[in-house]
Amino acid sequence: MLAHMRSMSVLGIDAFSIEVEVDISKGLPGITIVGLPDKSVSESKDRVRSAIRNAGFEFPSRRITVNLAPCDIRKEGPSFDMAIAMGILAASGSLESLHLDEFVIVGELALDGTVRDVGGVLPIAMEVKKNKPPCLVVPWNNFSEATLVSGVRVYPVKTLREAVEVVSAGPAGPGREDAPLRSPAAEPEESYEDFCDVKGHRGAKRALEVAAAGHHNIVMVGPPGSGKTMLARRFSSILPPMSFEEAIEVTKIYSVQGLLPPERPLITERPFRAPHNSSSYAGLVGGGRVPRPGEISFAHHGVLFLDELPEFRRDVLEMLRQPLEDGTVVISRAHTSVTYPSSFMLIGSMNPCPCGFLMDPLRRCECTPQRIQKYRTRISGPLMDRIDIHIEVPRLPLEDLGRRPSGEASKAIRERVMRTRLIQQERFGRGSIRWNAHMSPAEVERFCLVDREGGNLLREGVERLALSARAYTRVLKLSRTIADLEGSGRIKMHHVAEALQYRSLDRPFFMEGL
């Protein structure tokens, strides 16, 4: 006897349908799974056999063939367990097959017949919404995640027997839970880290405000213990809250990896990822035999903080160039190519030299010019060109360390950032460009209008710093953001002057190590 079930799998962050075909025929007892399964799918036959018996059903002692179609895409993970088990029950006559085609079933089975949660339920629910009727059977712990998608009939189950009862009763039977409509905005939790905790560093705080306002990348240069990490960890507190659409995009990435807690299915805070400098290519950018997202994708719509930037492997850092430009990363393998979103803000920190005390007023640098040059060239010029702001974070004077923090709170800075981003949204409309840092050359020509004094200063600064064409364009974009913070429609000389000041690593005296 033949039975058909519907399930789904995830490739990248998108779901696609899987047809589970089960045939029971005469022959030696056993289960064969075909359709390009990986090891975890092939092992499901043992989990399914024990789960069916321990759930109180009779397991057929005949030859069972399970086909997962389409057969040209590799299937991975335990999410097909429940669909395979119910297909076997339907083919053996233990489950009425009147409503089988109306449900999409995902879930991992334990040996005792209970259903365990799986990853990727959010993109699966978004794909199920296109079905008629949109009925989805999921593990109980994935229920809140599935209900993020409105218009889907979600049936949460704890055991295989419950799943059989749901499918037997049909879409109108008991257990149906309609996904509620969600708020159009995601409410973030209050942050415990605030800019008012940071003593001094007015220049660095201003640079971070400019970076947040225009979505610019930034690198901070200073001796050990000067406060670079403290500033970076508070950067998220001045960013605007995520919209509901942004929250869904971020949640999909974490859902695919099974990183969503059942009690908090929607990620409402902008991600802050700080991988160690020993991270591999696959860990930072993504990869593996089966392509997985890396840290740059987990930082989507958030912040990627690379502490001790020159200590990262150079080949790993070079892989950031394309994601910084395109906002996506493409991972190609022999049989497939996966695209992950990776629109993040990069914050880097580094010492001015290997020992960290170059130009420090209290401690003497012991590095030779050759060591300093070798240390700085670990970060290539093309990568530095993609970082708009280079800001120095010097050692705080002793008198500042003894004072109580009196800086501006993150809430006040965030309000200015939100006003500036609103200006940009009105400027760019509903196109693909949203922030000043992402402007195309045509938009730079249209929106980055500089007055005569500012133009003269820009030409002089670019010539003196020997900036590349890309760096010249980024100075213009940065000037546009500074003007927006001030509410100025035209870029003026002091806007250009401030933007040029944010190119510390391009200054001749800095590069000479004086």
Side-chain angles (χ1 to χ4, degrees):
M1 187 174 178
L2 183 65
H4 296 267
M5 304 296 296
R6 290 196 301 164
S7 188
M8 283 199 176
S9 186
V10 176
L11 182 63
I13 61 170
D14 297 315
F16 61 95
S17 296
I18 296 293
E19 186 80 15
V20 180
E21 302 172 329
V22 179
D23 177 69
I24 298 180
S25 58
K26 296 180 180 179
L28 291 175
I31 304 177
T32 302
I33 300 178
V34 297
L36 211 58
D38 72 348
K39 185 68 173 177
S40 61
V41 178
S42 298
E43 291 176 346
S44 68
K45 56 188 177 183
D46 299 313
R47 294 191 297 270
V48 166
R49 181 186 292 108
S50 297
I52 289 177
R53 288 173 175 169
N54 291 323
F57 298 100
E58 182 180 353
F59 188 84
S61 298
R62 305 180 72 182
R63 180 175 180 81
I64 303 172
T65 304
V66 179
N67 180 42
L68 305 178
C71 298
D72 58 344
I73 300 177
R74 179 165 291 277
K75 321 302 185 306
E76 61 165 348
S79 60
F80 307 109
D81 286 5
M82 191 157 56
I84 292 173
M86 297 184 70
I88 292 174
L89 293 175
S92 64
S94 299
L95 169 63
E96 295 184 10
S97 58
L98 297 178
H99 306 287
L100 292 184
D101 292 338
E102 301 180 42
F103 291 89
V104 172
I105 302 171
V106 294
E108 177 185 351
L109 287 176
L111 298 184
D112 61 355
T114 58
V115 181
R116 292 174 174 159
D117 55 301
V118 295
V121 168
L122 178 56
I124 287 173
M126 297 175 72
E127 185 67 21
V128 169
K129 186 177 180 179
K130 304 174 184 177
N131 295 345
K132 294 186 182 299
C135 300
L136 176 62
V137 179
V138 297
W140 185 268
N141 287 340
N142 291 122
F143 169 60
S144 56
E145 180 183 345
T147 58
L148 291 173
V149 183
S150 62
V152 178
R153 301 178 186 175
V154 184
Y155 301 80
V157 296
K158 294 181 179 179
T159 65
L160 178 60
R161 182 164 288 278
E162 286 185 17
V164 170
E165 293 172 355
V166 166
V167 174
S168 298
R176 166 182 166 179
E177 298 282 353
D178 287 335
L181 291 174
R182 295 283 172 169
S183 168
E187 293 295 332
E189 296 182 359
E190 289 295 326
S191 174
Y192 293 101
E193 296 182 328
D194 198 286
F195 262 73
C196 66
D197 300 329
V198 182
K199 300 178 181 180
H201 293 313
R202 293 181 59 186
K205 292 177 184 177
R206 167 65 179 179
L208 289 169
E209 179 181 343
V210 173
H215 208 279
H216 301 282
N217 303 313
I218 181 171
V219 61
M220 296 181 285
V221 185
S226 61
K228 303 184 295 293
T229 300
M230 187 178 187
L231 286 164
R233 291 194 176 278
R234 282 155 177 77
F235 183 73
S236 297
S237 66
I238 66 173
L239 293 175
M242 285 196 295
S243 66
F244 183 69
E245 291 74 19
E246 289 177 330
I248 287 292
E249 289 181 27
V250 174
T251 304
K252 282 179 66 177
I253 300 172
Y254 284 77
S255 171
V256 169
Q257 289 299 96
L259 300 177
L260 292 178
E263 67 278 2
R264 192 184 171 200
L266 182 66
I267 295 177
T268 57
E269 292 182 347
R270 293 191 181 274
F272 181 88
R273 307 293 295 190
H276 191 261
N277 53 44
S278 62
S279 296
S280 65
Y281 169 87
L284 188 65
V285 181
R289 182 181 60 83
V290 178
R292 299 290 188 184
E295 290 291 339
I296 64 173
S297 295
F298 289 125
H300 185 55
H301 289 317
V303 179
L304 179 69
F305 175 47
L306 301 184
D307 196 10
E308 302 295 340
L309 190 62
E311 300 300 333
F312 284 80
R313 284 169 36 195
R314 181 173 177 133
D315 61 324
V316 173
L317 290 179
E318 290 303 296
M319 293 298 104
L320 296 177
R321 287 159 56 177
Q322 181 243 342
L324 286 173
E325 289 285 339
D326 302 336
T328 59
V329 58
V330 180
I331 303 173
S332 298
R333 294 294 179 265
H335 298 289
T336 187
S337 179
V338 177
T339 300
Y340 288 109
S342 57
S343 178
F344 58 91
M345 294 186 63
L346 174 64
I347 299 181
S349 73
M350 59 180 288
N351 297 326
C353 65
C355 76
F357 299 108
L358 181 67
M359 296 183 291
D360 189 282
L362 300 181
R363 297 190 61 173
R364 180 181 176 182
C365 174
E366 300 179 353
C367 301
T368 63
Q370 292 78 12
R371 285 189 66 198
I372 295 173
Q373 184 66 19
K374 183 179 179 181
Y375 176 76
R376 293 179 183 168
T377 53
R378 293 178 186 176
I379 308 174
S380 68
L383 179 60
M384 290 304 300
D385 267 356
R386 289 167 169 82
I387 301 177
D388 302 347
I389 301 177
H390 317 155
I391 187 69
E392 296 174 52
V393 184
R395 178 196 296 271
L396 277 179
L398 187 59
E399 54 270 21
D400 286 349
L401 286 175
R403 295 173 183 168
R404 295 184 61 183
S406 58
E408 196 173 15
S410 294
K411 183 177 180 181
I413 302 175
R414 183 170 62 243
E415 289 175 355
R416 291 197 297 270
V417 169
M418 292 175 65
R419 286 197 299 268
T420 306
R421 288 200 172 194
L422 184 60
I423 293 173
Q424 296 168 61
Q425 291 175 13
E426 294 174 351
R427 173 184 298 138
F428 300 125
R430 297 186 178 181
S432 58
I433 302 298
R434 301 179 64 187
W435 319 122
N436 289 337
H438 300 158
M439 282 190 287
S440 66
E443 286 162 326
V444 171
E445 290 287 335
R446 179 180 176 186
F447 297 118
C448 296
L449 303 177
V450 187
D451 63 13
R452 187 174 63 180
E453 292 82 4
N456 293 334
L457 177 62
L458 179 61
R459 285 188 291 273
E460 181 182 351
V462 169
E463 183 177 350
R464 180 173 296 182
L465 298 176
L467 298 181
S468 67
R470 181 186 288 112
Y472 166 79
T473 303
R474 291 191 175 273
V475 169
L476 274 176
K477 296 176 183 179
L478 195 57
S479 302
R480 178 69 271 169
T481 299
I482 296 169
D484 288 342
L485 275 166
E486 194 178 277
S488 174
R490 197 174 186 88
I491 299 174
K492 300 179 182 179
M493 183 174 69
H494 63 280
H495 303 144
V496 175
E498 183 177 353
L500 289 171
Q501 286 295 314
Y502 292 141
R503 304 294 301 189
S504 298
L505 295 179
D506 294 321
R507 298 177 196 165
F509 80 88
F510 195 95
M511 296 307 295
E512 292 168 7
L514 299 178

